[in-house]
């Protein structure tokens, strides 16, 4: 027996016979090593005069701390008169979020917690995780028909919880009830600005008093960046004429800047570690303030249906229409997968020469 740690578990060698190592930190908890080299955490205990054995999970997908906590949850359920098959949904959900919080960004964790709290727990809380069927999930999904976006975004969260149940041997492998359920079809909300609309937008941006909001909007037009990537820029991110983002949505990446974009940053006052500091707090410029200014700008330009994120869509679509490859545009936008970029290619029917001229006028020669 020894106190299990991740390093010790991963270092355990395969032998000709299956063997187990018990944990000194939690009685009955341990790891089983098969001749194939595969390992599984287990819990071996006794309750009401009967021996109790269950698999907890795979060291390849969960840490010792997570497995030990899952074992504690099983013991608590057992001592309260429930078997492992009677563990309720919210216990597994809590374990899943505890494990995935290391992989999710803070903002992703917060959003997923919202979907769990608002849309998933009201339907599944208190139900035995082993009893939830595909029909239950279909009924839940149907009940959210009035909020299709929330339903579609809640489904992956529910699926992760079900995968956690399988990894903990609380459901049979391959029994995820979320499989095969089709998402809601929603009207495409992507909006792409034409050359004429871009000209109107440029006129509206030049007509207002220069400010951090206006500079952010110009940079969004000139770079195709996400709003948060520009709002949260630090001066240390801008060097050698380009942006070196530490933590974009898809990880660290470089944003190559055109001359007009560099000029905007070079003349912008340096009053904080943030390129665009918040007006009333010590953090970066707020999304709320940017949206307030954007609502004024898009109204002045006659573009009331255009969202800030549509500037990114337009940048990508015009770049592809101008002859840039999907790979190149994907790198410009920081996409991990080519299929993410391909959704912008539907504008390829635009005359290439005209699109190239518009691209140059808007992203190159235009002076903010």
């Amino acid at each position: 027996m020894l106190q299990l740690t991740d390093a010790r578990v991963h270092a355990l060698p395969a032998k000709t016979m299956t063997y187990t190592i018990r944990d000194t930190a939690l009685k009955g908890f341990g790891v089983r090593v098969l001749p194939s080299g595969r390992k599984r955490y287990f819990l071996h205990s006794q309750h009401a005069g009967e021996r109790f054995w269950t698999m907890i999970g795979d060291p390849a997908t969960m840490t010792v701390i997570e497995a030990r906590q899952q074992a504690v949850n099983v013991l608590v359920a057992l001592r309260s008169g429930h078997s492992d098959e009677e563990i309720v949904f919210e216990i597994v959900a809590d374990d899943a979020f505890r494990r995935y919080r290391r992989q999710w960004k803070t903002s992703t964790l917060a959003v997923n917690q919202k979907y769990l709290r608002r849309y998933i727990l009201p339907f599944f809380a208190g139900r035995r995780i082993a009893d939830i069927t595909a029909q239950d999930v279909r009924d839940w999904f149907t009940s959210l028909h009035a909020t299709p976006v929330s339903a579609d975004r809640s489904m992956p969260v529910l699926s992760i919880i079900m995968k956690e149940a399988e990894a903990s041997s609380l459901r049979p492998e391959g029994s995820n009830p979320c499989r095969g359920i089709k998402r809601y079809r929603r009207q495409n909300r992507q909006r792409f600005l034409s050359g004429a609309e871009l000209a109107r937008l440029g006129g509206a941006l030049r007509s207002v008093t220069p400010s951090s909001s206006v500079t952010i909007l110009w940079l969004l037009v000139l770079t195709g960046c996400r709003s948060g990537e520009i709002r949260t820029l630090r001066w240390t991110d801008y060097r050698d004429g380009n942006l070196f983002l530490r933590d974009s949505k898809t990880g660290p990446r470089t944003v190559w800047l055109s001359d007009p974009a560099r000029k905007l940053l070079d003349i912008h006052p340096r009053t904080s570690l943030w390129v665009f500091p918040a007006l009333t707090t010590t953090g970066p410029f707020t999304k709320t303030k940017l949206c307030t200014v954007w609502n004024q700008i898009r109204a002045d330009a006659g573009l009331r249906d255009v969202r800030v994120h549509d500037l990114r869509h337009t940048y990508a679509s015009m770049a592809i229409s101008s002859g840039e490859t999907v790979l190149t545009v994907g790198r410009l936008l920081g996409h991990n997968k080519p299929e993410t970029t391909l959704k912008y290619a539907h504008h390829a029917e635009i005359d290439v020469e005209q699109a190239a001229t518009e691209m140059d006028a808007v992203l190159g020669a235009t002076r903010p």
Side-chain angles (χ1 to χ4, degrees), residues 1-2 4 10 34 41 55-56 59 62 75 81 89 121 164 216 226 228 265 267-268 287 305 309 352 358 363:
M1 294 181 66
L2 52 80
L4 295 179
H10 292 311
L34 304 179
Y41 292 118
M55 289 298 175
I56 297 296
M62 64 195 311
L75 287 172
F89 176 86
L121 285 178
E164 177 70 15
I216 291 172
R226 301 175 180 88
L265 290 170
I267 65 175
H268 192 71
K287 181 178 180 180
D305 65 326
H309 198 69
V352 173
E358 293 173 349
L363 304 184

Side-chain angles (χ1 to χ4, degrees), residues 169-208:
S169 298
L170 299 175
R171 293 180 61 90
E173 291 188 9
S175 68
N176 191 332
C178 298
R179 290 179 179 173
I181 296 180
K182 295 182 179 180
R183 308 288 179 88
Y184 285 102
R185 291 185 178 182
R186 305 193 304 274
Q187 184 177 1
N188 194 339
R189 296 185 61 209
Q190 293 175 6
R191 173 74 156 82
F192 300 84
L193 280 71
S194 66
E197 289 175 326
L198 282 169
R200 298 208 312 264
L201 175 60
L205 287 169
R206 286 189 293 270
S207 69
V208 298

Side-chain angles (χ1 to χ4, degrees), residues 26-40:
L26 177 63
K27 185 177 179 180
F29 174 65
V31 62
R32 188 180 190 186
V33 184
L34 304 179
S36 64
R38 187 177 182 184
K39 301 164 186 174
R40 296 297 296 270

